[in-house]
Amino acid sequence: MPANPWNSVEQHPDDERAGSPWFFAETYQEFHWGLESLLGELEQHRKAVEQLGLTASPFEEEVDYLRGMVAWGKEKLAALGNSLRGTITVNGVTYRSLRYLKAGVLYRAFEVEKQKSAFLAKYKIVPRSVLRSFDARIEQLRGMSEMGKLSGLKPADVLFELTEAQSAAGEPSPPPRLVQALPPPASDSEVFVVDEVLRKRCLPLLRAIDGEGARDQYDSVIREMSVVLEDRVREVSGYTGNASGADLLGITMARDPLLIRFSPERNVQEAAHLFFRGYSGLVRNEVMHRLVESYTRERVVQLLGTVDYLLYLLSRAELPTTESRESTH
């Protein structure tokens, strides 16, 4: 498990309400699968508990709680169909439930780590690309665990109980020998991008430019990340009009009724709007209107991190009401 960032963060009581956080359906599915994994592990211990006659034990209460969360998630995901388009809002959720959600997705990361260890134990010669695939998946899941209301939140104790028990039972595998036919170009292994869409759309493009040595084309990555950001603003806000750039940000973040609310405090809301608008006016507009051949890879990586953070802020924003969606075009 990674270092615990929640140790230095003041924690909310389990029974405190956390508002109504939302998730993209595909993202929530990852959390749901994590809850199913946790429940499956706990169910394996049911017989031992029953043999002790502890039918009203805290263990049984935890299993029942997880069952309820899994049933709720299954119903919500089934209602969206196979396409999994749209969002899932968890109205009036407690921090206890969010702790279990976080524990679930971190447990999935732990399972991938175990798969990686098993792979390394079986194959002594390992391609670097395979290791990067494992690591990228692990970092993706860990990144999800810090989204929105989950940021800084300590996961449920069941995560530590299960991972520590399984880690104690395992044996370390010998270090692998990496296969590397040619020195790779600067790889995306040094580029940590949390947002899944941003990663899928931009990192392959960055790799292609690196591989071809086309140093004058890095602006195409900036252009793509700007499109991802603007598309997310539209998706989150529900805005369907033709505005773009600064106009889009003004309509969604600065005008009443607010379509994207970052904070009830006016100065914080204004600061968030200006943060987005600053990126749009200073970076996005330049690459949208002309070719910019002066970008270096280092600057592109910095801007990827900036857009990744802006997308994170959007994940914490309040979704608009139906009335505000309908009144703004």
Side-chain angles (χ1 to χ4, degrees), residues 219 223 284-294:
D219 60 328
R223 196 170 297 112
R284 177 254 187 207
N285 285 354
E286 183 182 36
V287 298
M288 288 297 185
H289 296 119
R290 65 186 182 89
L291 299 179
V292 183
E293 300 180 355
S294 58

Side-chain angles (χ1 to χ4, degrees), residues 98-109:
L98 291 184
R99 292 188 201 286
Y100 277 112
L101 282 177
K102 184 163 188 169
V105 76
L106 285 175
Y107 189 69
R108 281 179 62 73

